[in-house]
Amino acid sequence: MAKPEQRSSEWDFTVVREKLHLPNGNDAGLWAHVREDNGVIVGHGTDDYGLVQNVEVIGKAKDSFARAGLANYEETINVFEGGKRMRAVFDFKDEVLDIPKRVGDQIGFRLELGNSFDRSLRVNFALGFLRLWCANGCASLVKEFGLTAKHSSKVNVDNLITDKALGKALDAFRAQRNVFTRMADVEITQVQGLSVLQNLTNSKTLTEKVREEIALKWNNPAEYDSDRNLYNLYNAG
């Protein structure tokens, strides 16, 4: 049998449940999760497992975007391992925070959605701060706000991807400019930055391995992160 394609943009399919039986014909107590379009099994679950269709997750999100007036966005939607998992990314072009010019940075607004049929992921909805590096087209993401729902017979996407949740994510995003600005105003020395990382490690906020990796970036900053302040230390993280 051919190995399923690891990544595909063909996400708009329906998954149905088919009862599984033992070789002797007895009920196995499980259901197979089967793609209707090609018959591929993308997972299994018990009677209590609640299927959530990808189109339902994406549709609810886009309806919320429309009601919030968020029309200008780019989307990337992929499924993995033959459709077992789905990940959707929405970047909103009109929602960009300008950090003070002496820092020379911009933060974009990104929302990520996830779903699975193989029990590997809960239905999830997350806000990320997307750091934009316009010079080379690169970006980095820090997830700052998220909601998840367990796949169960009671799962209801209407209670997860709501106008209130989207509004809360937008409020968190817009308020973050003030936080980043205050961080940029706090100048520190190279040694003080390393001391901050060590204190976070001592308090078990960071592991030693993570501290070492952040310190390496702090000690060898890119040109756009050469200022020494709390904002740049945050970016090193």
mmCIF file with all atom_site columns, all heavy atoms in Angstrom, residues 158-181:
data_model
loop_
_atom_site.group_PDB
_atom_site.id
_atom_site.type_symbol
_atom_site.label_atom_id
_atom_site.label_alt_id
_atom_site.label_comp_id
_atom_site.label_asym_id
_atom_site.label_entity_id
_atom_site.label_seq_id
_atom_site.pdbx_PDB_ins_code
_atom_site.Cartn_x
_atom_site.Cartn_y
_atom_site.Cartn_z
_atom_site.occupancy
_atom_site.B_iso_or_equiv
_atom_site.pdbx_formal_charge
_atom_site.auth_seq_id
_atom_site.auth_comp_id
_atom_site.auth_asym_id
_atom_site.auth_atom_id
_atom_site.pdbx_PDB_model_num
ATOM 1   N N   . ASP A 1 158 ? -19.294 25.716 18.092 1.00 0.00 ? 158 ASP A N   1
ATOM 2   C CA  . ASP A 1 158 ? -19.918 27.018 18.339 1.00 0.00 ? 158 ASP A CA  1
ATOM 3   C C   . ASP A 1 158 ? -19.462 27.613 19.664 1.00 0.00 ? 158 ASP A C   1
ATOM 4   O O   . ASP A 1 158 ? -19.444 28.835 19.835 1.00 0.00 ? 158 ASP A O   1
ATOM 5   C CB  . ASP A 1 158 ? -21.439 26.893 18.352 1.00 0.00 ? 158 ASP A CB  1
ATOM 6   C CG  . ASP A 1 158 ? -22.010 26.655 16.964 1.00 0.00 ? 158 ASP A CG  1
ATOM 7   O OD1 . ASP A 1 158 ? -21.310 26.979 15.985 1.00 0.00 ? 158 ASP A OD1 1
ATOM 8   O OD2 . ASP A 1 158 ? -23.126 26.127 16.856 1.00 0.00 ? 158 ASP A OD2 1
ATOM 9   N N   . ASN A 1 159 ? -19.113 26.757 20.626 1.00 0.00 ? 159 ASN A N   1
ATOM 10  C CA  . ASN A 1 159 ? -18.682 27.231 21.943 1.00 0.00 ? 159 ASN A CA  1
ATOM 11  C C   . ASN A 1 159 ? -17.192 27.513 22.006 1.00 0.00 ? 159 ASN A C   1
ATOM 12  O O   . ASN A 1 159 ? -16.700 28.010 23.030 1.00 0.00 ? 159 ASN A O   1
ATOM 13  C CB  . ASN A 1 159 ? -19.042 26.196 23.014 1.00 0.00 ? 159 ASN A CB  1
ATOM 14  C CG  . ASN A 1 159 ? -20.537 26.019 23.158 1.00 0.00 ? 159 ASN A CG  1
ATOM 15  O OD1 . ASN A 1 159 ? -21.310 26.953 22.900 1.00 0.00 ? 159 ASN A OD1 1
ATOM 16  N ND2 . ASN A 1 159 ? -20.970 24.827 23.546 1.00 0.00 ? 159 ASN A ND2 1
ATOM 17  N N   . LEU A 1 160 ? -16.465 27.176 20.957 1.00 0.00 ? 160 LEU A N   1
ATOM 18  C CA  . LEU A 1 160 ? -15.016 27.383 20.937 1.00 0.00 ? 160 LEU A CA  1
ATOM 19  C C   . LEU A 1 160 ? -14.645 28.571 20.061 1.00 0.00 ? 160 LEU A C   1
ATOM 20  O O   . LEU A 1 160 ? -14.021 29.525 20.523 1.00 0.00 ? 160 LEU A O   1
ATOM 21  C CB  . LEU A 1 160 ? -14.310 26.116 20.431 1.00 0.00 ? 160 LEU A CB  1
ATOM 22  C CG  . LEU A 1 160 ? -12.784 26.209 20.310 1.00 0.00 ? 160 LEU A CG  1
ATOM 23  C CD1 . LEU A 1 160 ? -12.160 26.245 21.702 1.00 0.00 ? 160 LEU A CD1 1
ATOM 24  C CD2 . LEU A 1 160 ? -12.241 25.026 19.520 1.00 0.00 ? 160 LEU A CD2 1
ATOM 25  N N   . ILE A 1 161 ? -15.032 28.511 18.808 1.00 0.00 ? 161 ILE A N   1
ATOM 26  C CA  . ILE A 1 161 ? -14.713 29.581 17.862 1.00 0.00 ? 161 ILE A CA  1
ATOM 27  C C   . ILE A 1 161 ? -15.880 30.551 17.860 1.00 0.00 ? 161 ILE A C   1
ATOM 28  O O   . ILE A 1 161 ? -16.804 30.449 17.057 1.00 0.00 ? 161 ILE A O   1
ATOM 29  C CB  . ILE A 1 161 ? -14.443 29.009 16.467 1.00 0.00 ? 161 ILE A CB  1
ATOM 30  C CG1 . ILE A 1 161 ? -13.343 27.953 16.543 1.00 0.00 ? 161 ILE A CG1 1
ATOM 31  C CG2 . ILE A 1 161 ? -14.053 30.110 15.491 1.00 0.00 ? 161 ILE A CG2 1
ATOM 32  C CD1 . ILE A 1 161 ? -13.103 27.206 15.244 1.00 0.00 ? 161 ILE A CD1 1
ATOM 33  N N   . THR A 1 162 ? -15.847 31.485 18.789 1.00 0.00 ? 162 THR A N   1
ATOM 34  C CA  . THR A 1 162 ? -16.948 32.425 18.975 1.00 0.00 ? 162 THR A CA  1
ATOM 35  C C   . THR A 1 162 ? -16.494 33.849 18.681 1.00 0.00 ? 162 THR A C   1
ATOM 36  O O   . THR A 1 162 ? -15.302 34.157 18.653 1.00 0.00 ? 162 THR A O   1
ATOM 37  C CB  . THR A 1 162 ? -17.471 32.362 20.421 1.00 0.00 ? 162 THR A CB  1
ATOM 38  O OG1 . THR A 1 162 ? -16.429 32.817 21.309 1.00 0.00 ? 162 THR A OG1 1
ATOM 39  C CG2 . THR A 1 162 ? -17.868 30.940 20.801 1.00 0.00 ? 162 THR A CG2 1
ATOM 40  N N   . ASP A 1 163 ? -17.469 34.730 18.484 1.00 0.00 ? 163 ASP A N   1
ATOM 41  C CA  . ASP A 1 163 ? -17.143 36.145 18.298 1.00 0.00 ? 163 ASP A CA  1
ATOM 42  C C   . ASP A 1 163 ? -16.441 36.691 19.539 1.00 0.00 ? 163 ASP A C   1
ATOM 43  O O   . ASP A 1 163 ? -15.527 37.513 19.441 1.00 0.00 ? 163 ASP A O   1
ATOM 44  C CB  . ASP A 1 163 ? -18.429 36.945 18.032 1.00 0.00 ? 163 ASP A CB  1
ATOM 45  C CG  . ASP A 1 163 ? -19.071 36.578 16.703 1.00 0.00 ? 163 ASP A CG  1
ATOM 46  O OD1 . ASP A 1 163 ? -18.445 35.837 15.914 1.00 0.00 ? 163 ASP A OD1 1
ATOM 47  O OD2 . ASP A 1 163 ? -20.213 37.020 16.459 1.00 0.00 ? 163 ASP A OD2 1
ATOM 48  N N   . LYS A 1 164 ? -16.856 36.233 20.711 1.00 0.00 ? 164 LYS A N   1
ATOM 49  C CA  . LYS A 1 164 ? -16.237 36.694 21.953 1.00 0.00 ? 164 LYS A CA  1
ATOM 50  C C   . LYS A 1 164 ? -14.780 36.256 22.025 1.00 0.00 ? 164 LYS A C   1
ATOM 51  O O   . LYS A 1 164 ? -13.902 37.026 22.419 1.00 0.00 ? 164 LYS A O   1
ATOM 52  C CB  . LYS A 1 164 ? -17.016 36.143 23.155 1.00 0.00 ? 164 LYS A CB  1
ATOM 53  C CG  . LYS A 1 164 ? -16.481 36.617 24.498 1.00 0.00 ? 164 LYS A CG  1
ATOM 54  C CD  . LYS A 1 164 ? -17.341 36.093 25.639 1.00 0.00 ? 164 LYS A CD  1
ATOM 55  C CE  . LYS A 1 164 ? -16.800 36.562 26.990 1.00 0.00 ? 164 LYS A CE  1
ATOM 56  N NZ  . LYS A 1 164 ? -17.627 36.039 28.116 1.00 0.00 ? 164 LYS A NZ  1
ATOM 57  N N   . ALA A 1 165 ? -14.508 34.996 21.635 1.00 0.00 ? 165 ALA A N   1
ATOM 58  C CA  . ALA A 1 165 ? -13.128 34.502 21.666 1.00 0.00 ? 165 ALA A CA  1
ATOM 59  C C   . ALA A 1 165 ? -12.261 35.269 20.681 1.00 0.00 ? 165 ALA A C   1
ATOM 60  O O   . ALA A 1 165 ? -11.115 35.630 20.986 1.00 0.00 ? 165 ALA A O   1
ATOM 61  C CB  . ALA A 1 165 ? -13.102 33.007 21.349 1.00 0.00 ? 165 ALA A CB  1
ATOM 62  N N   . LEU A 1 166 ? -12.791 35.530 19.489 1.00 0.00 ? 166 LEU A N   1
ATOM 63  C CA  . LEU A 1 166 ? -12.037 36.289 18.503 1.00 0.00 ? 166 LEU A CA  1
ATOM 64  C C   . LEU A 1 166 ? -11.791 37.711 19.000 1.00 0.00 ? 166 LEU A C   1
ATOM 65  O O   . LEU A 1 166 ? -10.690 38.258 18.852 1.00 0.00 ? 166 LEU A O   1
ATOM 66  C CB  . LEU A 1 166 ? -12.784 36.309 17.171 1.00 0.00 ? 166 LEU A CB  1
ATOM 67  C CG  . LEU A 1 166 ? -12.120 37.103 16.043 1.00 0.00 ? 166 LEU A CG  1
ATOM 68  C CD1 . LEU A 1 166 ? -10.741 36.525 15.711 1.00 0.00 ? 166 LEU A CD1 1
ATOM 69  C CD2 . LEU A 1 166 ? -12.998 37.101 14.797 1.00 0.00 ? 166 LEU A CD2 1
ATOM 70  N N   . GLY A 1 167 ? -12.809 38.317 19.600 1.00 0.00 ? 167 GLY A N   1
ATOM 71  C CA  . GLY A 1 167 ? -12.655 39.665 20.143 1.00 0.00 ? 167 GLY A CA  1
ATOM 72  C C   . GLY A 1 167 ? -11.608 39.708 21.241 1.00 0.00 ? 167 GLY A C   1
ATOM 73  O O   . GLY A 1 167 ? -10.804 40.649 21.314 1.00 0.00 ? 167 GLY A O   1
ATOM 74  N N   . LYS A 1 168 ? -11.589 38.681 22.079 1.00 0.00 ? 168 LYS A N   1
ATOM 75  C CA  . LYS A 1 168 ? -10.598 38.617 23.145 1.00 0.00 ? 168 LYS A CA  1
ATOM 76  C C   . LYS A 1 168 ? -9.197  38.488 22.565 1.00 0.00 ? 168 LYS A C   1
ATOM 77  O O   . LYS A 1 168 ? -8.244  39.103 23.057 1.00 0.00 ? 168 LYS A O   1
ATOM 78  C CB  . LYS A 1 168 ? -10.900 37.426 24.065 1.00 0.00 ? 168 LYS A CB  1
ATOM 79  C CG  . LYS A 1 168 ? -9.997  37.334 25.279 1.00 0.00 ? 168 LYS A CG  1
ATOM 80  C CD  . LYS A 1 168 ? -10.414 36.194 26.189 1.00 0.00 ? 168 LYS A CD  1
ATOM 81  C CE  . LYS A 1 168 ? -9.481  36.101 27.384 1.00 0.00 ? 168 LYS A CE  1
ATOM 82  N NZ  . LYS A 1 168 ? -9.869  34.969 28.288 1.00 0.00 ? 168 LYS A NZ  1
ATOM 83  N N   . ALA A 1 169 ? -9.067  37.691 21.512 1.00 0.00 ? 169 ALA A N   1
ATOM 84  C CA  . ALA A 1 169 ? -7.768  37.526 20.862 1.00 0.00 ? 169 ALA A CA  1
ATOM 85  C C   . ALA A 1 169 ? -7.300  38.852 20.259 1.00 0.00 ? 169 ALA A C   1
ATOM 86  O O   . ALA A 1 169 ? -6.133  39.236 20.388 1.00 0.00 ? 169 ALA A O   1
ATOM 87  C CB  . ALA A 1 169 ? -7.849  36.448 19.778 1.00 0.00 ? 169 ALA A CB  1
ATOM 88  N N   . LEU A 1 170 ? -8.204  39.568 19.604 1.00 0.00 ? 170 LEU A N   1
ATOM 89  C CA  . LEU A 1 170 ? -7.848  40.858 19.013 1.00 0.00 ? 170 LEU A CA  1
ATOM 90  C C   . LEU A 1 170 ? -7.468  41.870 20.082 1.00 0.00 ? 170 LEU A C   1
ATOM 91  O O   . LEU A 1 170 ? -6.492  42.620 19.925 1.00 0.00 ? 170 LEU A O   1
ATOM 92  C CB  . LEU A 1 170 ? -9.023  41.395 18.191 1.00 0.00 ? 170 LEU A CB  1
ATOM 93  C CG  . LEU A 1 170 ? -9.129  40.909 16.749 1.00 0.00 ? 170 LEU A CG  1
ATOM 94  C CD1 . LEU A 1 170 ? -10.486 41.278 16.173 1.00 0.00 ? 170 LEU A CD1 1
ATOM 95  C CD2 . LEU A 1 170 ? -8.008  41.475 15.898 1.00 0.00 ? 170 LEU A CD2 1
ATOM 96  N N   . ASP A 1 171 ? -8.219  41.900 21.177 1.00 0.00 ? 171 ASP A N   1
ATOM 97  C CA  . ASP A 1 171 ? -7.903  42.826 22.269 1.00 0.00 ? 171 ASP A CA  1
ATOM 98  C C   . ASP A 1 171 ? -6.523  42.526 22.849 1.00 0.00 ? 171 ASP A C   1
ATOM 99  O O   . ASP A 1 171 ? -5.742  43.440 23.145 1.00 0.00 ? 171 ASP A O   1
ATOM 100 C CB  . ASP A 1 171 ? -8.960  42.739 23.370 1.00 0.00 ? 171 ASP A CB  1
ATOM 101 C CG  . ASP A 1 171 ? -10.292 43.347 22.959 1.00 0.00 ? 171 ASP A CG  1
ATOM 102 O OD1 . ASP A 1 171 ? -10.316 44.097 21.952 1.00 0.00 ? 171 ASP A OD1 1
ATOM 103 O OD2 . ASP A 1 171 ? -11.308 43.064 23.625 1.00 0.00 ? 171 ASP A OD2 1
ATOM 104 N N   . ALA A 1 172 ? -6.230  41.238 23.021 1.00 0.00 ? 172 ALA A N   1
ATOM 105 C CA  . ALA A 1 172 ? -4.923  40.842 23.550 1.00 0.00 ? 172 ALA A CA  1
ATOM 106 C C   . ALA A 1 172 ? -3.813  41.269 22.602 1.00 0.00 ? 172 ALA A C   1
ATOM 107 O O   . ALA A 1 172 ? -2.745  41.726 23.028 1.00 0.00 ? 172 ALA A O   1
ATOM 108 C CB  . ALA A 1 172 ? -4.888  39.332 23.777 1.00 0.00 ? 172 ALA A CB  1
ATOM 109 N N   . PHE A 1 173 ? -4.067  41.111 21.316 1.00 0.00 ? 173 PHE A N   1
ATOM 110 C CA  . PHE A 1 173 ? -3.071  41.492 20.316 1.00 0.00 ? 173 PHE A CA  1
ATOM 111 C C   . PHE A 1 173 ? -2.808  42.998 20.351 1.00 0.00 ? 173 PHE A C   1
ATOM 112 O O   . PHE A 1 173 ? -1.662  43.445 20.417 1.00 0.00 ? 173 PHE A O   1
ATOM 113 C CB  . PHE A 1 173 ? -3.552  41.066 18.934 1.00 0.00 ? 173 PHE A CB  1
ATOM 114 C CG  . PHE A 1 173 ? -2.709  41.590 17.802 1.00 0.00 ? 173 PHE A CG  1
ATOM 115 C CD1 . PHE A 1 173 ? -1.456  41.060 17.553 1.00 0.00 ? 173 PHE A CD1 1
ATOM 116 C CD2 . PHE A 1 173 ? -3.189  42.614 16.992 1.00 0.00 ? 173 PHE A CD2 1
ATOM 117 C CE1 . PHE A 1 173 ? -0.681  41.544 16.508 1.00 0.00 ? 173 PHE A CE1 1
ATOM 118 C CE2 . PHE A 1 173 ? -2.417  43.099 15.943 1.00 0.00 ? 173 PHE A CE2 1
ATOM 119 C CZ  . PHE A 1 173 ? -1.160  42.569 15.708 1.00 0.00 ? 173 PHE A CZ  1
ATOM 120 N N   . ARG A 1 174 ? -3.868  43.787 20.314 1.00 0.00 ? 174 ARG A N   1
ATOM 121 C CA  . ARG A 1 174 ? -3.706  45.235 20.248 1.00 0.00 ? 174 ARG A CA  1
ATOM 122 C C   . ARG A 1 174 ? -3.094  45.807 21.515 1.00 0.00 ? 174 ARG A C   1
ATOM 123 O O   . ARG A 1 174 ? -2.347  46.790 21.473 1.00 0.00 ? 174 ARG A O   1
ATOM 124 C CB  . ARG A 1 174 ? -5.056  45.879 19.945 1.00 0.00 ? 174 ARG A CB  1
ATOM 125 C CG  . ARG A 1 174 ? -5.545  45.578 18.522 1.00 0.00 ? 174 ARG A CG  1
ATOM 126 C CD  . ARG A 1 174 ? -7.018  45.846 18.322 1.00 0.00 ? 174 ARG A CD  1
ATOM 127 N NE  . ARG A 1 174 ? -7.438  45.556 16.947 1.00 0.00 ? 174 ARG A NE  1
ATOM 128 C CZ  . ARG A 1 174 ? -8.700  45.413 16.568 1.00 0.00 ? 174 ARG A CZ  1
ATOM 129 N NH1 . ARG A 1 174 ? -9.687  45.528 17.454 1.00 0.00 ? 174 ARG A NH1 1
ATOM 130 N NH2 . ARG A 1 174 ? -8.991  45.146 15.304 1.00 0.00 ? 174 ARG A NH2 1
ATOM 131 N N   . ALA A 1 175 ? -3.419  45.199 22.661 1.00 0.00 ? 175 ALA A N   1
ATOM 132 C CA  . ALA A 1 175 ? -2.853  45.673 23.929 1.00 0.00 ? 175 ALA A CA  1
ATOM 133 C C   . ALA A 1 175 ? -1.368  45.353 24.039 1.00 0.00 ? 175 ALA A C   1
ATOM 134 O O   . ALA A 1 175 ? -0.648  45.981 24.833 1.00 0.00 ? 175 ALA A O   1
ATOM 135 C CB  . ALA A 1 175 ? -3.610  45.038 25.096 1.00 0.00 ? 175 ALA A CB  1
ATOM 136 N N   . GLN A 1 176 ? -0.908  44.388 23.252 1.00 0.00 ? 176 GLN A N   1
ATOM 137 C CA  . GLN A 1 176 ? 0.472   43.951 23.384 1.00 0.00 ? 176 GLN A CA  1
ATOM 138 C C   . GLN A 1 176 ? 1.469   45.015 22.922 1.00 0.00 ? 176 GLN A C   1
ATOM 139 O O   . GLN A 1 176 ? 2.622   45.005 23.337 1.00 0.00 ? 176 GLN A O   1
ATOM 140 C CB  . GLN A 1 176 ? 0.691   42.665 22.578 1.00 0.00 ? 176 GLN A CB  1
ATOM 141 C CG  . GLN A 1 176 ? 1.960   41.913 22.948 1.00 0.00 ? 176 GLN A CG  1
ATOM 142 C CD  . GLN A 1 176 ? 1.938   41.376 24.367 1.00 0.00 ? 176 GLN A CD  1
ATOM 143 O OE1 . GLN A 1 176 ? 0.872   41.194 24.951 1.00 0.00 ? 176 GLN A OE1 1
ATOM 144 N NE2 . GLN A 1 176 ? 3.108   41.137 24.915 1.00 0.00 ? 176 GLN A NE2 1
ATOM 145 N N   . ARG A 1 177 ? 1.030   45.957 22.091 1.00 0.00 ? 177 ARG A N   1
ATOM 146 C CA  . ARG A 1 177 ? 1.953   47.006 21.638 1.00 0.00 ? 177 ARG A CA  1
ATOM 147 C C   . ARG A 1 177 ? 2.505   47.769 22.829 1.00 0.00 ? 177 ARG A C   1
ATOM 148 O O   . ARG A 1 177 ? 3.703   48.068 22.884 1.00 0.00 ? 177 ARG A O   1
ATOM 149 C CB  . ARG A 1 177 ? 1.255   47.967 20.679 1.00 0.00 ? 177 ARG A CB  1
ATOM 150 C CG  . ARG A 1 177 ? 2.204   49.028 20.123 1.00 0.00 ? 177 ARG A CG  1
ATOM 151 C CD  . ARG A 1 177 ? 1.487   50.035 19.235 1.00 0.00 ? 177 ARG A CD  1
ATOM 152 N NE  . ARG A 1 177 ? 2.431   50.931 18.579 1.00 0.00 ? 177 ARG A NE  1
ATOM 153 C CZ  . ARG A 1 177 ? 2.962   51.998 19.150 1.00 0.00 ? 177 ARG A CZ  1
ATOM 154 N NH1 . ARG A 1 177 ? 2.656   52.298 20.417 1.00 0.00 ? 177 ARG A NH1 1
ATOM 155 N NH2 . ARG A 1 177 ? 3.814   52.758 18.479 1.00 0.00 ? 177 ARG A NH2 1
ATOM 156 N N   . ASN A 1 178 ? 1.628   48.094 23.793 1.00 0.00 ? 178 ASN A N   1
ATOM 157 C CA  . ASN A 1 178 ? 2.087   48.826 24.968 1.00 0.00 ? 178 ASN A CA  1
ATOM 158 C C   . ASN A 1 178 ? 3.082   48.010 25.777 1.00 0.00 ? 178 ASN A C   1
ATOM 159 O O   . ASN A 1 178 ? 4.049   48.549 26.332 1.00 0.00 ? 178 ASN A O   1
ATOM 160 C CB  . ASN A 1 178 ? 0.893   49.218 25.842 1.00 0.00 ? 178 ASN A CB  1
ATOM 161 C CG  . ASN A 1 178 ? 0.004   50.245 25.173 1.00 0.00 ? 178 ASN A CG  1
ATOM 162 O OD1 . ASN A 1 178 ? 0.471   51.037 24.361 1.00 0.00 ? 178 ASN A OD1 1
ATOM 163 N ND2 . ASN A 1 178 ? -1.283  50.239 25.509 1.00 0.00 ? 178 ASN A ND2 1
ATOM 164 N N   . VAL A 1 179 ? 2.831   46.693 25.858 1.00 0.00 ? 179 VAL A N   1
ATOM 165 C CA  . VAL A 1 179 ? 3.744   45.828 26.604 1.00 0.00 ? 179 VAL A CA  1
ATOM 166 C C   . VAL A 1 179 ? 5.110   45.801 25.924 1.00 0.00 ? 179 VAL A C   1
ATOM 167 O O   . VAL A 1 179 ? 6.152   45.976 26.562 1.00 0.00 ? 179 VAL A O   1
ATOM 168 C CB  . VAL A 1 179 ? 3.169   44.400 26.713 1.00 0.00 ? 179 VAL A CB  1
ATOM 169 C CG1 . VAL A 1 179 ? 4.175   43.474 27.383 1.00 0.00 ? 179 VAL A CG1 1
ATOM 170 C CG2 . VAL A 1 179 ? 1.856   44.413 27.482 1.00 0.00 ? 179 VAL A CG2 1
ATOM 171 N N   . PHE A 1 180 ? 5.112   45.593 24.602 1.00 0.00 ? 180 PHE A N   1
ATOM 172 C CA  . PHE A 1 180 ? 6.377   45.539 23.876 1.00 0.00 ? 180 PHE A CA  1
ATOM 173 C C   . PHE A 1 180 ? 7.104   46.884 23.949 1.00 0.00 ? 180 PHE A C   1
ATOM 174 O O   . PHE A 1 180 ? 8.335   46.939 24.033 1.00 0.00 ? 180 PHE A O   1
ATOM 175 C CB  . PHE A 1 180 ? 6.134   45.168 22.413 1.00 0.00 ? 180 PHE A CB  1
ATOM 176 C CG  . PHE A 1 180 ? 5.781   43.718 22.203 1.00 0.00 ? 180 PHE A CG  1
ATOM 177 C CD1 . PHE A 1 180 ? 4.943   43.343 21.168 1.00 0.00 ? 180 PHE A CD1 1
ATOM 178 C CD2 . PHE A 1 180 ? 6.296   42.731 23.032 1.00 0.00 ? 180 PHE A CD2 1
ATOM 179 C CE1 . PHE A 1 180 ? 4.631   41.998 20.959 1.00 0.00 ? 180 PHE A CE1 1
ATOM 180 C CE2 . PHE A 1 180 ? 5.986   41.394 22.839 1.00 0.00 ? 180 PHE A CE2 1
ATOM 181 C CZ  . PHE A 1 180 ? 5.152   41.027 21.799 1.00 0.00 ? 180 PHE A CZ  1
ATOM 182 N N   . THR A 1 181 ? 6.338   47.994 23.901 1.00 0.00 ? 181 THR A N   1
ATOM 183 C CA  . THR A 1 181 ? 6.950   49.316 23.978 1.00 0.00 ? 181 THR A CA  1
ATOM 184 C C   . THR A 1 181 ? 7.634   49.516 25.321 1.00 0.00 ? 181 THR A C   1
ATOM 185 O O   . THR A 1 181 ? 8.764   50.023 25.393 1.00 0.00 ? 181 THR A O   1
ATOM 186 C CB  . THR A 1 181 ? 5.890   50.405 23.751 1.00 0.00 ? 181 THR A CB  1
ATOM 187 O OG1 . THR A 1 181 ? 5.325   50.249 22.443 1.00 0.00 ? 181 THR A OG1 1
ATOM 188 C CG2 . THR A 1 181 ? 6.504   51.792 23.869 1.00 0.00 ? 181 THR A CG2 1
#
